[in-house]
């Protein structure tokens, strides 16, 4: 294989190599406002991808430019990218003269994007934050629409979760080993110093990593790259925070070889858009570089972003009808202030040391070492022998009586009384919990307490990345990466709510099964103690890649390959009473070895018309979360766990002229052998004999062997109608489906307590084939007009259509368990093909339109730039669902039918809603 690959590489070089022209293109680039030269601007001849960087005087010179009509691309962070058509004559020098660069208005748009990427709509249930953050650096018309216009509706490019993309800072991968997703909050609020980015879409080649099938994003915080200057800004909004202030200073590269950059910001809100969602975030960034000589440079970067925010609850339609779209059941009044019971707190500082070594004029080596430690904590209420404090607990709602004693009579006094009770008690009663603790049957023992699900990580990362021009036509990128993680996970007691101690037991069981830790039975815990569950996850991952890029007049192509090895192990600190024989100590190590191959070609029809093709096949290790069936309580490995198999192809037709930029892409991807784990309370057998609801089981649901198929097309068009008016259009159409019937397993802790074993029960196939993947619009379209005046003010408006978004279906409802009574082996009464099909039809959300308006202005006064940016999103205050999920509580047809017989289910789907009309205003000073 190696000999064949090398032979092919040399063959391609021989076939495609062409004589180089002796023509030269030169010019000078200046700021359109100040007329001062701009250094560090990238100037590229599009057809050949030859590029240079302007010197401190703004001058550039490109040698050996291909003869004929070419497109000159001029780009720099903070400025709008410019395309110029030029005519190159053989053996002559073309002086394009003065090129004026204008301030890029999308830089200010990016400042408001943080309100999307940090939205917590999916924290507890869909498990994913928006992927809009991956798109911040792009300038493609389609990608701009996907990030800014559709991001508020939780649009996902190509229907892919962001675990299939790679996010890096200085070449260090920031995707979490736990779930494969980047934690945007780790650098939230630091927009000024995270703008130096390189973005690749899909499986296009990245210089830094092999990457995934969604794309790669490299954020560079090297101090010498930041343009010299200072910036102060202040913002107001009504989204997830209310106010933000930010200050940044950049030294630029000084004569003594030093450079530094410092940025600080604060974001806060007493209450965000949804009720009771407080917000507080502080961020600080510092980067220092010493350039020793032309060959060696050392850069140190530190990032600290503290973030605390109150979550908002998903709600059933019944609750929304009673309490409204903005209703949030997670908060209640305490001492005259709103207190949220479910806060998410993040504090994971990052330290990075980077060495840049210019080995030769053609080869450089970048070596990085990073250390990150800190915590992510999600709070909630714990209770023992007391009533559920959730205001939306099903017994508190009218539907409980409609489906019970009222027998569908909406005019029943029982229904009216329940309605009035909920409306008068629709928030958490903190005072009642304090009283209950003070009047506890056992003096001093809290029956209510507040705790955090806390993860404390320590991760060391080291990598080295090689960049080499093997010849005028061939570039080599190669890298090796090492990551070692220790993740400590436990319940952390934060508030006894007026009591003196909490008992570390589970009162829903008896005997030894009640004990969280048999090594320390009946333990009392205080504020700051660990209890409930306590374990560590250890992971070691190594990976490497090589990539060859070939560039010729007619075509460019690339070939890349990767290898990785992942090793996981659980280390139980507690000897759990349910799993006494399989919870304490270390589990078996799980090792996964994976590989990837990708390649592609860009065929240059002319300098302005291109065809682009990409294809990839790779395997991907399961993440830590899915490797262990119930890591909180035992060492058991997920049944049939194995690496995912991933294939992806795309083809694009691209037009790039000074006035028109267009990309039309068709794409397809297939993901096989994926695994998903979820937890819920369910009634699996249909036994409703329990009078108090305690017959419900806490279920760990394991879905293995999942196949997904995503196919679709995307279009982006940008046309400069006049020198001041620009039109942009974008569209995406996809079909994102489950393409098989995966196997479903159930882990029931209640059964384990009697056997002390691993009670995995196979429920056979979950009939999910051809159900749509949930939580995102699969059809989207956008049209935008922008006017930019010569006096440096601008305004734009866009209208967006979004549709084909689907509810997340319950897996267990799609198994044979739903229709067959296990005690008789017969179908439940009334469970016909027609009734079951109607019950299990996937809900499609209504299509909707969003209109957004934005604008801004800037002034230049004696070397100081003053400006503002303002936007109004969802101008017409459209109400729309961004996602939701079916509850799995009623897991058989008999229970499901009883709950839905009168059209007011107590356990109906829960929904997330998007923001209504919102605004963002930012004022800034650059000096």
């Amino acid at each position: 294989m190696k000999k064949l690959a090398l032979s092919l590489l040399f063959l391609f070089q021989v076939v495609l190599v062409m004589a180089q022209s002796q023509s030269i293109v030169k010019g000078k680039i200046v700021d359109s406002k100040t007329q001062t030269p701009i250094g560090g601007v990238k100037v590229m001849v599009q057809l050949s991808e030859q590029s240079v960087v302007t010197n401190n005087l703004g001058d550039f010179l490109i040698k050996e430019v291909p003869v004929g009509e070419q497109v000159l691309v001029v780009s720099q962070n903070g400025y709008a990218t410019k395309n110029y058509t030029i005519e190159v004559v053989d053996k002559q020098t073309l002086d394009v003269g003065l090129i004026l660069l204008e301030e890029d208005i999308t830089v200010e748009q990016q400042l408001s994007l943080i309100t999307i990427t940090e939205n917590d709509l999916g924290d507890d249930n869909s498990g994913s934050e928006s992927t809009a953050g991956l798109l911040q650096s792009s300038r493609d018309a389609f990608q701009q629409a996907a990030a800014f216009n559709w991001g508020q509706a939780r649009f996902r490019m190509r229907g892919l979760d962001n675990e299939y993309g790679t996010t890096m800072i200085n070449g260090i991968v920031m995707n979490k080993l736990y779930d494969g997703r980047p934690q945007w909050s780790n650098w939230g609020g630091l927009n000024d110093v995270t703008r130096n980015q390189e973005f690749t879409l899909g499986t296009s080649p990245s210089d830094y990593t092999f990457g995934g099938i969604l794309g790669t994003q490299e954020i560079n915080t090297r101090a010498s790259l930041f343009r010299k200057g200072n910036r102060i800004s202040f913002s107001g909004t009504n989204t997830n925070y209310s106010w933000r202030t930010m200050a940044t200073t950049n030294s630029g590269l000084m004569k003594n070889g030093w450079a530094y950059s410092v940025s600080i910001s604060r974001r806060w809100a007493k209450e965000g858009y949804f009720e009771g969602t407080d917000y507080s975030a502080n961020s600080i960034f510092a980067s220092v570089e010493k350039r020793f000589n032309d060959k060696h440079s050392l850069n140190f970067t530190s990032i600290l972003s503290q973030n605390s925010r109150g979550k908002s609850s998903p709600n059933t339609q019944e609750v929304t009808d009673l309490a409204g779209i903005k209703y949030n059941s997670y908060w209640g009044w305490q001492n005259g202030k709103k207190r949220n019971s479910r806060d998410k707190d993040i504090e994971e500082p990052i330290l990075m040391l980077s060495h840049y070594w210019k080995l030769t004029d053609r080869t450089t080596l970048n070596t990085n070492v990073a250390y990150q430690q800190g915590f992510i904590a999600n709070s909630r209420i714990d209770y023992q022998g007391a009533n559920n404090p959730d205001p939306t607990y099903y017994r508190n709602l009218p539907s409980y009586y409609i489906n019970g004693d009222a027998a569908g009579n909406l005019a029943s006094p029982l229904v009216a009384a329940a309605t009035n009770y909920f409306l008068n008690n629709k928030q958490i009663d903190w005072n009642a919990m304090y009283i209950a603790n003070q009047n506890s049957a056992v003096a001093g023992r809290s029956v209510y307490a507040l705790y955090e699900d806390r993860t404390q990580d320590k991760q060391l990362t080291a990598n080295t990345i090689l960049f080499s021009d093997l010849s005028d036509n061939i570039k080599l990128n190669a890298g090796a990466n090492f990551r070692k993680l220790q993740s400590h996970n436990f319940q952390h007691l934060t508030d006894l709510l007026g009591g003196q101690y909490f008992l570390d037991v589970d009162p829903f069981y008896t005997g030894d099964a009640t004990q969280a830790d048999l090594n320390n039975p009946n333990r009392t815990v205080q504020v700051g103690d660990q209890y409930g569950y306590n374990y560590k996850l250890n992971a070691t991952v190594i990976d490497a890649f090589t990539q060859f890029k070939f560039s010729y007049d007619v075509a460019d192509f690339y070939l890349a390959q990767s290898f990785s090895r992942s090793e996981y192990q659980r280390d139980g600190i507690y000897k759990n009473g349910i799993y006494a024989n399989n919870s304490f100590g270390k589990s078996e190590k799980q090792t996964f070895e994976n590989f990837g191959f990708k390649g592609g070609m860009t065929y240059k029809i002319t300098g302005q018309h291109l065809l682009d093709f990409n294809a990839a096949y790779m395997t991907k290790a399961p993440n830590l979360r899915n490797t262990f069936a119930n890591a909180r309580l035992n060492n058991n490995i997920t049944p049939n766990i194995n690496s995912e198999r991933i294939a992806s192809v795309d083809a694009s037709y691209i037009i790039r002229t000074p006035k028109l930029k267009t990309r039309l892409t068709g794409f397809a991807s297939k993901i096989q052998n994926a695994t998903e784990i979820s937890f819920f309370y369910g009634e699996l057998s249909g036994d409703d004999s329990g009078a108090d609801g305690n017959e419900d089981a806490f279920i760990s649901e394991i879905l293995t062997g999942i196949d997904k198929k995503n196919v679709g097309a995307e279009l982006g068009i940008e046309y400069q109608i006049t020198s001041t008016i620009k039109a942009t259009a974008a569209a995406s159409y996809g079909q994102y489906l489950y393409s098989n019937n995966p196997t479903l397993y159930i882990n029931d802790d209640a059964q384990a307590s009697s056997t002390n074993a691993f009670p995995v029960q196979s429920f056979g196939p979950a009939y999910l084939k051809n159900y749509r993947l949930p939580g995102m619009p699969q059809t989207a379209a956008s049209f935008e007009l922008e006017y930019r005046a010569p006096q440096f003010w601008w305004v734009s408006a866009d209208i967006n259509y979004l549709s084909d978004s689907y509810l997340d279906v319950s897996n267990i409802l799609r198994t044979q368990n739903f229709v067959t009574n296990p005690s008789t082996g017969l179908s439940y009464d009334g469970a016909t093909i027609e009734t079951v099909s109607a019950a299990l039809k996937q809900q499609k959300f209504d299509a909707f339109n969003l209109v957004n308006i934005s604008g801004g202005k800037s002034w230049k006064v004696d070397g100081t730039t003053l400006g503002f940016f303002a936007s109004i999103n969802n101008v017409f205050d459209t109400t729309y669902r961004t996602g939701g999920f079916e509850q799995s509580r009623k897991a058989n047809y008999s229970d499901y039918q009883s709950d839905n017989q009168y059209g007011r289910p107590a356990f109906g789907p829960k929904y997330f809603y998007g923001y209504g009309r919102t605004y963002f205003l930012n004022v800034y000073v650059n000096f």
Side-chain angles (χ1 to χ4, degrees):
M1 287 296 293
K2 291 181 179 178
K3 291 181 179 179
L4 177 60
L6 288 172
S7 300
L8 288 173
L9 295 181
F10 286 117
L11 177 62
F12 283 130
Q13 185 179 9
V14 171
V15 171
L16 293 177
V17 70
M18 298 183 178
Q20 298 296 307
S21 164
Q22 298 301 312
S23 301
I24 294 174
V25 175
K26 69 177 185 177
K28 187 181 189 69
I29 299 175
V30 300
D31 185 287
S32 62
K33 287 184 185 178
T34 64
Q35 300 296 305
T36 55
I38 308 174
V41 179
K42 182 179 179 181
V43 185
M44 180 180 73
V45 178
Q46 186 170 274
L47 183 65
S48 66
E49 292 198 356
Q50 292 173 272
S51 65
V52 296
V53 175
T54 59
N55 60 23
N56 291 334
L57 299 176
D59 297 323
F60 69 89
L61 185 147
I62 309 176
K63 299 179 180 179
E64 299 180 345
V65 180
V67 174
E69 184 180 276
Q70 306 294 337
V71 176
L72 198 66
V73 182
V74 182
S75 60
Q76 167 72 314
N77 284 306
Y79 292 92
T81 298
K82 294 284 189 178
N83 288 7
Y84 298 92
T85 300
I86 57 176
E87 189 69 34
V88 179
V89 179
D90 191 21
K91 298 181 180 179
Q92 291 189 16
T93 297
L94 174 64
D95 189 346
V96 298
L98 212 59
I99 295 178
L100 304 180
L101 282 192
E102 299 174 346
E103 181 184 9
D104 185 4
I105 60 173
T106 60
V107 168
E108 302 309 321
Q109 286 179 308
Q110 290 173 15
L111 295 175
S112 64
L113 191 62
I114 198 69
T115 63
I116 299 171
T117 60
E118 289 191 352
N119 198 323
D120 63 321
L121 294 180
D123 273 340
D124 287 330
N125 300 290
S126 71
S128 175
E129 292 182 341
S130 169
T131 60
L134 184 62
L135 311 173
Q136 290 185 54
S137 62
S138 62
R139 294 294 178 266
D140 177 281
F142 173 82
Q143 295 160 14
Q144 288 287 337
F148 302 118
N149 301 349
W150 306 336
Q152 57 193 308
R154 302 185 67 76
F155 177 81
R156 295 182 190 172
M157 286 188 62
R158 302 186 180 180
L160 295 169
D161 188 276
N162 53 22
E163 68 171 300
Y164 294 100
T166 302
T167 299
M168 295 168 289
I169 298 179
N170 298 337
I172 297 292
V173 175
M174 302 308 297
N175 298 60
K176 292 284 189 180
L177 290 174
Y178 178 71
D179 61 6
R181 302 182 177 103
Q183 180 61 252
W184 306 112
S185 297
N186 283 164
W187 54 92
L190 296 171
N191 307 66
D192 281 351
V193 289
T194 56
R195 291 176 180 167
N196 292 329
Q197 301 184 8
E198 294 181 39
F199 177 80
T200 60
L201 177 62
T203 59
S204 298
S206 165
D207 291 347
Y208 304 91
T209 183
F210 183 84
I213 60 172
L214 175 59
T216 61
Q217 178 186 26
E218 157 66 10
I219 302 171
N220 197 324
T221 65
R222 188 174 179 179
S224 62
L225 296 181
F226 295 112
R227 195 163 67 247
K228 182 180 180 179
N230 309 288
R231 177 184 175 91
I232 298 174
S233 65
F234 186 81
S235 306
T237 181
N238 64 333
T239 51
N240 58 345
Y241 60 82
S242 299
W243 308 102
R244 187 198 64 201
T245 183
M246 182 161 51
T248 302
T249 180
N250 302 317
S251 70
L253 185 62
M254 296 181 287
K255 292 181 179 180
N256 59 5
W258 286 93
Y260 66 85
S261 175
V262 178
S263 184
I264 58 174
S265 77
R266 172 162 170 74
R267 293 160 290 157
W268 71 98
K270 187 175 180 180
E271 182 174 63
Y273 183 84
F274 294 100
E275 295 176 358
T277 53
D278 56 300
Y279 194 103
S280 177
N282 302 295
S283 303
I284 183 168
F285 166 94
S287 181
V288 180
E289 181 179 354
K290 172 61 177 175
R291 185 171 294 181
F292 297 99
N293 50 47
D294 291 340
K295 292 184 178 295
H296 294 278
S297 183
L298 200 62
N299 191 95
F300 176 75
T301 295
S302 59
I303 301 173
L304 171 61
S305 182
Q306 300 170 313
N307 188 299
S308 177
R309 53 192 170 95
K311 298 180 184 180
S312 59
S313 62
N315 299 314
T316 62
Q317 188 61 52
E318 176 188 24
V319 170
T320 299
D321 290 342
L322 290 170
I325 296 295
K326 293 186 178 182
Y327 172 68
N328 178 13
S329 66
Y330 293 161
W331 70 272
W333 292 101
Q334 183 179 355
N335 298 327
K337 296 181 180 180
K338 292 182 177 180
R339 182 182 184 183
N340 197 309
S341 65
R342 297 204 182 186
D343 280 334
K344 182 171 186 177
D345 296 320
I346 300 173
E347 184 177 328
E348 296 186 297
I350 306 168
L351 303 175
M352 293 183 177
L353 185 65
S354 302
H355 177 242
Y356 303 91
W357 184 8
K358 188 175 181 181
L359 295 168
T360 68
D361 289 340
R362 288 179 172 268
T363 302
T364 60
L365 187 69
N366 175 207
T367 302
N368 307 281
V369 178
Y371 181 74
Q372 183 176 18
Q373 71 170 9
F375 66 88
I376 299 176
N378 292 276
S379 68
R380 58 194 306 155
I381 296 170
D382 199 354
Y383 58 99
Q384 297 177 351
N387 293 327
N388 190 327
D390 182 1
T392 61
Y393 180 56
Y394 73 100
R395 290 174 180 268
N396 297 336
L397 297 172
S399 56
Y400 176 70
Y401 299 94
I402 292 172
N403 298 311
D405 293 342
N409 180 12
L410 299 181
S412 167
L414 292 171
V415 176
T419 301
N420 290 331
Y421 178 83
F422 173 73
L423 292 176
N424 291 320
N425 300 274
K426 67 179 189 295
Q427 303 304 149
I428 287 175
D429 193 340
W430 291 101
N431 187 52
M433 287 189 284
Y434 275 84
I435 292 173
N437 286 345
Q438 291 166 4
N439 298 328
S440 173
V442 179
R445 178 181 172 183
S446 290
V447 294
Y448 292 102
L450 193 69
Y451 75 94
E452 296 171 337
D453 289 311
R454 193 175 181 96
T455 298
Q456 292 188 172
D457 285 354
K458 296 178 181 178
Q459 181 170 306
L460 176 67
T461 305
N463 72 1
T464 186
I465 308 170
L466 180 73
F467 312 86
S468 182
D469 294 336
L470 300 181
S471 70
D472 292 339
N473 306 101
I474 304 175
K475 292 184 178 181
L476 167 66
N477 302 116
N481 188 55
F482 170 83
R483 286 187 284 174
K484 189 173 184 63
L485 168 71
Q486 182 186 84
S487 179
H488 187 191
N489 301 264
F490 54 91
Q491 283 184 212
H492 177 237
L493 190 63
T494 60
D495 195 338
L496 287 166
L497 303 179
Q500 297 177 19
Y501 69 91
F502 201 67
L503 198 58
D504 191 11
V505 297
D506 190 337
F508 292 99
Y509 298 102
T510 60
D512 286 350
T514 66
Q515 300 298 324
D517 184 10
L518 288 173
N519 293 329
N520 296 279
N522 298 315
R523 188 168 63 103
T524 60
V525 290
Q526 308 289 332
V527 171
D529 286 346
Q530 301 167 9
Y531 79 107
Y533 65 85
N534 197 347
Y535 66 95
K536 293 180 180 179
L537 293 175
N538 299 310
T540 303
V541 176
I542 58 170
D543 61 79
F545 85 101
T546 58
Q547 177 175 268
F548 294 90
K549 294 194 293 186
F550 304 82
S551 179
Y552 301 97
D553 288 351
V554 176
D556 300 336
F557 64 95
Y558 70 93
L559 298 169
Q561 43 282 315
S562 70
F563 173 81
S564 67
R565 187 178 191 274
S566 305
E567 185 176 273
Y568 306 148
Q569 187 175 43
R570 179 187 185 273
D571 187 1
I573 299 173
Y574 285 175
K575 185 177 183 180
N576 183 267
I578 301 175
Y579 301 95
N581 296 331
N582 196 26
S583 55
F584 182 65
K586 295 181 178 179
S587 70
E588 295 180 3
K589 287 185 178 180
Q590 298 298 301
T591 302
F592 306 93
E593 293 188 345
N594 294 277
F595 63 89
F597 297 98
K598 69 177 183 179
M601 180 180 73
T602 300
Y603 178 72
K604 306 167 188 177
I605 302 172
T606 68
Q608 300 179 344
H609 297 259
L610 304 95
L611 296 175
D612 187 66
F613 307 93
N614 298 280
Y617 179 82
M618 65 188 76
T619 60
K620 174 178 172 291
N623 55 50
L624 269 171
R625 183 184 191 276
N626 292 332
T627 300
F628 300 94
N630 187 358
R632 289 187 175 184
L633 298 186
N634 60 54
N635 283 336
N636 295 304
I637 308 301
T638 298
N640 303 320
I641 190 70
N642 215 321
S643 295
E644 296 181 14
R645 301 186 299 274
I646 303 170
S648 174
V649 295
D650 65 65
S652 300
Y653 174 56
I654 301 168
I655 301 175
R656 294 174 181 167
T657 71
K659 285 193 172 183
L660 176 67
K661 301 181 184 66
T662 301
R663 177 174 63 85
L664 174 63
T665 300
F667 60 86
S669 64
K670 189 166 187 177
I671 299 170
Q672 296 177 293
N673 204 40
T675 299
E676 295 176 1
I677 297 180
S678 56
F679 303 90
F680 60 87
Y681 284 96
E683 300 169 8
L684 303 186
S685 66
D687 178 12
D688 290 325
S689 59
D692 59 0
N694 286 341
E695 73 282 355
D696 302 338
F698 185 70
I699 302 300
S700 171
E701 179 190 86
I702 306 163
L703 197 64
T704 66
I706 307 168
D707 293 354
K708 304 174 185 178
K709 181 172 66 175
N710 295 13
V711 296
E714 52 196 31
L715 171 68
I717 303 173
E718 178 185 304
Y719 184 70
Q720 194 73 42
I721 301 173
T722 69
S723 60
T724 58
I725 300 175
K726 182 173 68 175
T728 304
S732 175
Y733 174 77
Q735 287 191 336
Y736 314 138
L737 308 164
Y738 291 102
S739 59
N740 75 329
N741 296 320
T743 302
L744 188 142
Y745 297 89
I746 292 297
N747 181 170
D748 184 345
D749 291 340
Q751 294 180 24
S753 64
S754 62
T755 63
N756 218 359
F758 185 32
V760 170
Q761 178 184 358
S762 174
F763 274 55
Y767 295 99
L768 297 176
K769 187 174 183 179
N770 293 327
Y771 276 89
R772 295 292 188 109
L773 299 179
M776 59 191 158
Q778 302 196 11
T779 299
S782 176
F783 178 75
E784 179 177 359
L785 277 177
E786 173 196 306
Y787 175 77
R788 185 187 294 207
Q791 295 79 21
F792 303 109
W793 66 268
W794 60 273
V795 63
S796 69
D798 58 83
I799 182 170
N800 307 274
Y801 171 80
L802 299 119
S803 67
D804 296 330
S805 187
Y806 291 83
L807 187 70
D808 192 357
V809 299
S810 166
N811 301 318
I812 199 167
L813 266 61
R814 272 79 187 170
T815 64
Q816 195 65 35
N817 175 82
F818 185 71
V819 296
T820 302
N821 189 328
S823 61
T824 65
L826 302 175
S827 296
Y828 290 104
D829 291 342
T832 65
I833 293 177
E834 292 77 15
T835 58
V836 171
S837 296
L840 300 183
K841 183 179 180 181
Q842 188 175 20
Q843 182 180 352
K844 180 180 177 181
F845 298 149
D846 293 338
F848 56 93
N849 297 301
L850 297 176
V851 175
N852 309 308
I853 298 175
S854 61
K857 171 116 176 80
S858 62
W859 298 265
K860 192 76 174 179
V861 181
D862 296 331
T864 298
T865 300
L866 309 173
F868 76 89
F869 164 79
S871 67
I872 302 176
N873 285 347
N874 192 2
V875 172
F876 297 107
D877 202 22
T878 300
T879 298
Y880 60 97
R881 291 169 174 160
T882 60
F885 56 96
E886 289 180 344
Q887 297 192 70
S888 298
R889 178 103 170 203
K890 302 297 181 180
N892 61 73
Y893 182 80
S894 176
D895 289 343
Y896 179 89
Q897 192 64 20
S898 296
D899 194 41
N900 285 268
Q901 58 185 328
Y902 302 117
R904 293 282 296 273
F907 298 99
K910 289 192 173 185
Y911 301 106
F912 300 107
Y913 290 87
Y915 293 134
R917 184 186 301 112
T918 60
Y919 69 88
F920 184 89
L921 174 65
N922 179 62
V923 294
Y924 62 92
V925 181
N926 294 339
F927 59 97

